[in-house]
Amino acid sequence: QVQLAENGGGLVQVGGSLRLSCVASGPSNGWGSLGWFRQAPGKEREFVGAVCWRFIPGIGTRYADSVADSVKDRFTLSRDNAKNTVYLQLNTLRLEDSAVYTCAYDPATNDACSSGTYLSFKFWGQGTQVTVSS
């Protein structure tokens, strides 16, 4: 069973920054996606970004990432493979960025990076609250 643990949320002023982390533990295969989603009160959950990987025999593991257009000028993704961790750097935060940010794992596809679909995320973390204040 895959487990995901988010960290790094908190209270920050407008214009500030936070770095969220998602640590994945448990079995994994040669390809998949680790994504970030957020949900504000009264709003639908929205995709923020994802790191995708695929092992290609004879070549190795190839990585890609995708960040939602609405935040790509302010949010960036990074990863530490040795720590099974994906980071989401949130910069120039706005009031509307306040939400619960949740990490999710898709064990079977790279859809989040290739086709922009997010139906295959099967494992979810508990989420971390990001609150931006004026």
Side-chain angles (χ1 to χ4, degrees):
Q1 181 75 8
V2 172
Q3 292 186 326
L4 304 170
E6 303 99 334
N7 206 348
L11 176 64
V12 63
Q13 290 188 324
V14 169
S17 298
L18 286 172
R19 190 177 77 157
L20 309 183
S21 63
C22 174
V23 181
S25 61
S28 63
N29 54 25
W31 71 330
S33 305
L34 203 60
W36 284 98
F37 294 80
R38 68 182 182 181
Q39 187 168 22
K43 295 188 177 181
E44 293 189 355
R45 183 170 60 200
E46 65 172 328
F47 171 76
V48 178
V51 172
C52 307
W53 62 91
R54 183 174 185 176
F55 177 77
I56 302 174
I59 295 177
T61 301
R62 289 294 179 260
Y63 296 89
D65 63 55
S66 175
V67 181
D69 288 342
S70 61
V71 299
K72 66 190 310 178
D73 60 336
R74 300 183 294 117
F75 293 1
T76 57
L77 290 163
S78 60
R79 54 182 167 80
D80 185 332
N81 297 338
K83 296 181 179 180
N84 292 329
T85 300
V86 169
Y87 301 97
L88 179 65
Q89 179 69 40
L90 314 177
N91 295 326
T92 319
L93 283 161
R94 303 169 180 170
L95 293 174
E96 57 264 34
D97 294 320
S98 295
V100 175
Y101 286 70
T102 306
C103 178
Y105 174 52
D106 170 1
T109 81
N110 293 161
D111 287 350
C113 296
S114 58
S115 62
T117 58
Y118 318 112
L119 301 178
S120 299
F121 283 95
K122 298 187 182 304
F123 300 94
W124 296 80
Q126 294 297 310
T128 186
Q129 177 71 48
V130 171
T131 303
V132 185
S133 65
S134 58

